[in-house]
Amino acid sequence: EDAAAAALVASVVGAGGGAGKLEAARIVVRMLLNHMICASLAARELPVLERLLKAYRKVVDPEELGVFGPDVDWLERHHVDLLVAAALKLADKPGELLNIHAREVLTRYLFPLARRDGLVHLQVAELLRMYLRPNFASTREEITSMEEVLNNGQLRHGGVDFGQRLAPLYRRIVLDPDKTYLRKMYCDSSFGHIFPLDAAGPQGIAKGEGSLQPLGAPVTSPAVPEN
């Protein structure tokens, strides 16, 4: 699969022809890579997963411009949906199927995207509910991850503010009886200043913020206007 991905990327990045044909080829390659990435995660083939994620970014951003590259589009959001759903499925199973190494690979890919797009940030928040599992991750990992998304995560997409959707997800984590060490960090964060804990009810969800799906439930993005 790794060799196949490299060949696909090379064929697209170096392809000639009209812009329309090149874009169509990129879409096909990205959809194939989506499948290969989720399959490698499910099989816990982490070196392959990491290389495939880099290959995916190479197709999306061939000039490697990073934050100055192309905006996050519908296909990358769909890719994130599939990836998060696959990760939560592993997290919901007994044992350490989604171990620290797998989580590091995923967050290295997802966190920069969450800085740029509110919908991706929403999916990342869904993923971080894995920390509600007992003895799932270290305190240091939880604090590092939560500080990143609470201070740097994008709240908007296409004119829609996802703060009200994100608030109950994060409050559910930091108000867990076993997560008291996260509360001051939340209150001091950029997100915590906008959505303070004292605005929440006893379950950490303010009136009108809705309910939560159980861990491992299918993750889907709400319909919003596209860029």
Side-chain angles (χ1 to χ4, degrees):
E1 284 189 345
D2 200 20
L8 286 169
V9 173
S11 67
V12 169
V13 173
K21 289 184 178 180
L22 181 57
E23 182 59 25
R26 281 202 179 102
I27 290 174
V28 171
V29 171
R30 289 172 66 184
M31 292 177 73
L32 289 171
L33 285 171
N34 281 350
H35 172 74
M36 296 164 69
I37 287 167
C38 291
S40 65
L41 175 59
R44 292 181 294 151
E45 296 177 349
L46 300 185
V48 176
L49 173 64
E50 192 160 18
R51 288 194 293 270
L52 287 172
L53 286 171
K54 289 179 180 178
Y56 187 90
R57 289 303 305 164
K58 183 67 174 178
V59 175
V60 174
D61 183 14
E63 297 181 14
E64 300 184 12
L65 298 176
V67 296
F68 301 105
D71 292 336
V72 178
D73 62 8
W74 67 270
L75 192 52
E76 189 146 30
R77 294 184 196 102
H78 176 63
H79 169 58
V80 170
D81 279 354
L82 295 176
L83 193 59
V84 169
L88 286 175
K89 188 174 181 180
L90 287 179
D92 207 34
K93 293 181 178 179
E96 296 185 5
L97 298 183
L98 193 70
N99 60 28
I100 185 171
H101 303 297
R103 297 194 299 272
E104 286 175 350
V105 171
L106 291 173
T107 54
R108 273 199 303 269
Y109 172 73
L110 292 171
F111 283 173
L113 294 178
R115 288 184 172 212
R116 301 176 62 195
D117 186 82
L119 267 174
V120 173
H121 184 187
L122 184 63
Q123 301 312 312
V124 170
E126 292 278 0
L127 176 64
L128 295 186
R129 289 193 295 125
M130 63 188 174
Y131 292 148
L132 289 171
R133 292 184 60 84
N135 304 314
F136 187 79
S138 68
T139 300
R140 180 178 179 180
E141 178 188 340
E142 293 178 6
I143 291 174
T144 300
S145 295
M146 294 292 287
E147 280 184 334
E148 164 62 28
V149 292
L150 290 172
N151 285 300
N152 301 310
Q154 174 62 250
L155 301 184
R156 301 186 67 82
H157 164 74
V160 178
D161 191 324
F162 288 96
Q164 293 292 335
R165 295 283 301 275
L166 288 159
L169 296 174
Y170 287 138
R171 286 169 175 162
R172 178 68 175 270
I173 297 172
V174 302
L175 291 177
D176 184 275
D178 296 325
K179 308 293 181 185
T180 55
Y181 50 85
L182 293 177
R183 292 176 193 169
K184 184 179 186 304
M185 180 270 296
Y186 176 95
C187 293
D188 291 341
S189 71
S190 299
F191 189 89
H193 289 160
I194 302 172
F195 299 97
L197 289 179
D198 56 16
Q203 301 302 318
I205 303 174
K207 183 177 180 181
E209 285 185 345
S211 59
L212 297 176
Q213 296 177 336
L215 186 64
V219 180
T220 55
S221 294
V224 296
E226 289 295 335
N227 287 333

